[in-house]
Amino acid sequence: SHAPFWQGFPEMANIPLTDIEIVHIINSVNNKNSAGYDEMSNTILELCAQYLSKPLTYVHNSSIIQGNFPESLIDCSSCL
């Protein structure tokens, strides 16, 4: 019998991100001028990445540790 596929994954609380990783994630997103559900274009996010990285790191890590997520991000179909 096989173990469930999720057993090999680390706990979410053990996956904090750093400011540098957040900047890399922002910079890895395709550059396009159209806005997403947050009404901000990827180009603007990339230009502001160094200023946004600390607050985004705090929000991300706090969400993972506390298990609190913004309602708009809980339903993945709203992000597609």
Side-chain angles (χ1 to χ4, degrees):
S1 102
H2 295 285
F5 74 92
W6 64 84
Q7 283 188 338
F9 297 132
E11 297 268 337
M12 290 299 287
N14 296 330
I15 308 177
L17 291 178
T18 65
D19 301 352
I20 293 169
E21 290 172 311
I22 293 287
V23 170
H24 286 299
I25 291 167
I26 291 171
N27 290 334
S28 71
V29 175
N30 290 335
N31 286 340
K32 58 182 181 177
N33 290 324
S34 60
Y37 75 96
D38 57 2
E39 299 185 21
M40 191 168 278
S41 73
N42 293 344
T43 303
I44 297 296
L45 286 174
E46 190 171 300
L47 290 171
C48 300
Q50 69 183 33
Y51 304 106
L52 294 172
S53 64
K54 285 193 186 302
L56 287 175
T57 301
Y58 176 79
V59 168
H60 172 271
N61 291 339
S62 295
S63 293
I64 295 296
I65 291 166
Q66 297 173 10
N68 295 323
F69 301 93
E71 288 292 324
S72 60
L73 298 179
I74 291 175
D75 180 12
C76 290
S77 65
S78 67
C79 302
L80 300 176

